[in-house]
Amino acid sequence: MLKIVKYPDLILKKSSEEVRHDDKSLRSLIPHMVETMKKNQGIGLAAPQIGISKKVIIVTEGEEAHAFLNPRIVKQSKEKERDEEGCLSLPGLFMKVSRAKQVEVAAQTIDGAKVRVKARGLGARIFQHEIDHIEGKLIIHRVSPLTRWKLRNQLKNLPR
Ligand SMILES: [Zn+2]
């Protein structure tokens, strides 16, 4: 039950559905996502990665994991930062991805509260990575065609 959906599963390419905070399935989905993320040593996770096409993400800050519903980036710094990124759905693959240094995210919590979160550095990177997931994008779609081409053999031989 704690399995991660891996590339090239089609669910990872789909834009996920918006959720309502009173959707009862979230009560079990969120703890399940947190557990799966931790078991796999992740620092973020999006619902499609466990096979659920809903706009729910988990973002780790320090030791704490926070769940956000329907997150979207409302502001981002022009300044970018390139850093190595991996993804639990692309095991063993790491690549330099350029991301905005700072973002502001609008989302909902499980209690239905509307929140705005400002994040920078690693936190901003995790938000951008997970929000990409719920829009059907992976890190391989954030690198140059040349980088993707260089990774083609590794992509074909990913562990399932
Ligand atoms: Zn990922």
Side-chain angles (χ1 to χ4, degrees), residues 12 44-46 49 85-90 129-130 133 137-139:
L12 298 172
L45 194 76
Q49 293 183 279
E85 232 174 270
C87 179
L88 294 176
S89 296
L90 293 160
H129 181 118
E130 304 312 332
H133 269 303
K137 280 204 190 86
L138 297 172
I139 49 176

Side-chain angles (χ1 to χ4, degrees), residues 121-158:
L122 180 61
R125 184 168 292 274
I126 302 173
F127 268 115
Q128 290 169 85
H129 181 118
E130 304 312 332
I131 291 172
D132 269 357
H133 269 303
I134 58 174
E135 301 300 344
K137 280 204 190 86
L138 297 172
I139 49 176
I140 48 168
H141 304 122
R142 289 285 183 198
V143 296
S144 69
L146 177 63
T147 305
R148 210 158 45 233
W149 184 79
K150 284 180 181 160
L151 294 167
R152 71 197 181 285
N153 285 329
Q154 284 181 69
L155 272 173
K156 260 188 238 153
N157 299 311
L158 283 180

Side-chain angles (χ1 to χ4, degrees), residues 74-88:
V74 288
K75 261 190 217 167
Q76 60 181 63
S77 63
K78 284 210 181 84
E79 225 184 321
K80 306 238 179 187
E81 213 164 32
R82 261 165 69 83
D83 210 346
E84 192 123 274
E85 232 174 270
C87 179
L88 294 176

Side-chain angles (χ1 to χ4, degrees), residues 59-61 75-77 79 81 99-105 117-128:
V59 172
T60 297
E61 188 195 18
K75 261 190 217 167
Q76 60 181 63
S77 63
E79 225 184 321
E81 213 164 32
R99 302 280 192 191
K101 252 185 163 169
Q102 292 181 47
V103 293
E104 189 172 331
V105 174
V117 187
K118 284 184 182 162
R120 52 189 307 151
L122 180 61
R125 184 168 292 274
I126 302 173
F127 268 115
Q128 290 169 85

